[in-house]
Amino acid sequence: MKSPEPGAYTLRLFTSSGEVLSYVNTGLSSSGTHEWPFTFISGNRRIEPGIYYLELNDGNSSATVKVLIP
């Protein structure tokens, strides 16, 4: 994902009902395009195929995209 400004970001995967399934705190990052490690495992269970939402948040603003997990 692309971070517009330097800062600390949170990346969350959640369902259409708002349940957070997985997340990662990126720590301090420079602006630009980044790859962050992310797992599609929630607790001890693998996330089922379906449509989910991925949100990048810096504490002041956020960007959300729809994700299809086959």
Side-chain angles (χ1 to χ4, degrees):
M1 293 190 83
K2 187 171 185 174
S3 55
E5 296 180 14
Y9 290 86
T10 301
L11 189 59
R12 301 185 313 150
L13 179 72
F14 57 96
T15 65
S16 58
S17 64
E19 178 187 4
V20 176
L21 300 175
S22 191
Y23 70 92
V24 65
N25 291 314
T26 67
L28 293 177
S29 299
S30 59
S31 61
T33 302
H34 299 280
E35 291 183 21
W36 292 295
F38 199 78
T39 180
F40 291 108
I41 296 174
S42 178
N44 291 327
R45 65 182 171 94
R46 185 170 177 78
I47 295 173
E48 296 296 320
I51 296 174
Y52 297 90
Y53 297 89
L54 192 59
E55 176 191 67
L56 181 64
N57 188 309
D58 69 358
N60 296 314
S61 62
S62 64
T64 304
V65 294
K66 190 185 291 188
V67 176
L68 172 65
I69 297 178

